[in-house]
Amino acid sequence: MRVVAIVILLVAASLGTNAQPKDDWAKADLQTVRLAPRKFTQLPKTIIADLEKRGCSIPQSYMWTKPHNIARGEFKRNGQKDWAVLCSMRRSSAILIYWNASPNAVSRIAEKKDADYLTKFNQERIGFSRIIAVANTKFIADHYESYGGTKPPRLTHQGIEDGWAEKASELHYLHRSKWLKLQGAD
């Protein structure tokens, strides 16, 4: 019985030294770099103004040094230039889509807590890892062929890749006025 108790104590002690304290995760969430919309000079001024009015900041993945988490694409139909922006408010982020670059036509999808996208890297550090990017039709079709998942409809425009930097993702694709979740990176 004494041997079992010693083994349990040793296992518990080793788990305690390897586990990351909850406070470290909360601290990492607070320390996530979140840039002001005005740092993204490629965004139209009307979108910057709308993001500021909403109280948005744009969270940055620890993996990239250049500002990111905005994407210009054709998310509704070919030829229409739309913007997708990862908007963080009160440590939760959603993708805002500005249809035809207009602050008067905005959709909001995929809201999740920023803390859900924290990951451990360099054995000790914790950082934010969510990224968004344009997914072209070839990318969408290739990922379906490689990984399966929901079969995409006939692809006529781009989608939005949403996921962990250099890891898993899902694809948001607008079809008949509804957002489909398609297979991204696995």
Side-chain angles (χ1 to χ4, degrees), residues 35-66:
L35 298 178
R38 66 182 165 277
K39 296 283 186 183
F40 295 85
T41 56
Q42 63 272 50
L43 283 172
K45 289 180 180 19
T46 55
I47 292 177
I48 291 171
D50 185 68
L51 290 166
E52 289 175 342
K53 185 172 107 180
R54 291 172 185 266
C56 293
S57 58
I58 302 168
Q60 303 295 291
S61 168
Y62 73 91
M63 294 189 70
W64 293 13
T65 56
K66 291 183 180 177

Side-chain angles (χ1 to χ4, degrees), residues 72-147:
R72 184 175 184 224
E74 299 173 355
F75 306 126
K76 192 172 198 174
R77 68 177 69 84
N78 280 334
Q80 178 176 303
K81 303 299 182 193
D82 308 307
W83 285 93
V85 178
L86 189 60
C87 165
S88 180
M89 295 186 301
R90 295 176 293 288
R91 296 195 320 269
S92 286
S93 293
I95 301 170
L96 300 183
I97 301 96
Y98 288 86
W99 301 112
N100 210 22
S102 172
N104 299 320
V106 182
S107 293
R108 179 185 186 94
I109 61 171
E111 183 165 359
K112 298 177 183 165
K113 291 182 179 183
D114 290 345
D116 292 347
Y117 282 88
L118 293 175
T119 189
K120 197 172 180 183
F121 67 101
N122 292 342
Q123 305 298 74
E124 297 174 17
R125 297 193 58 206
I126 303 166
F128 182 76
S129 185
R130 188 176 184 186
I131 56 150
I132 64 168
V134 174
N136 65 31
T137 56
K138 180 177 179 351
F139 183 89
I140 296 168
D142 288 351
H143 280 73
Y144 171 69
E145 287 179 26
S146 295
Y147 304 114

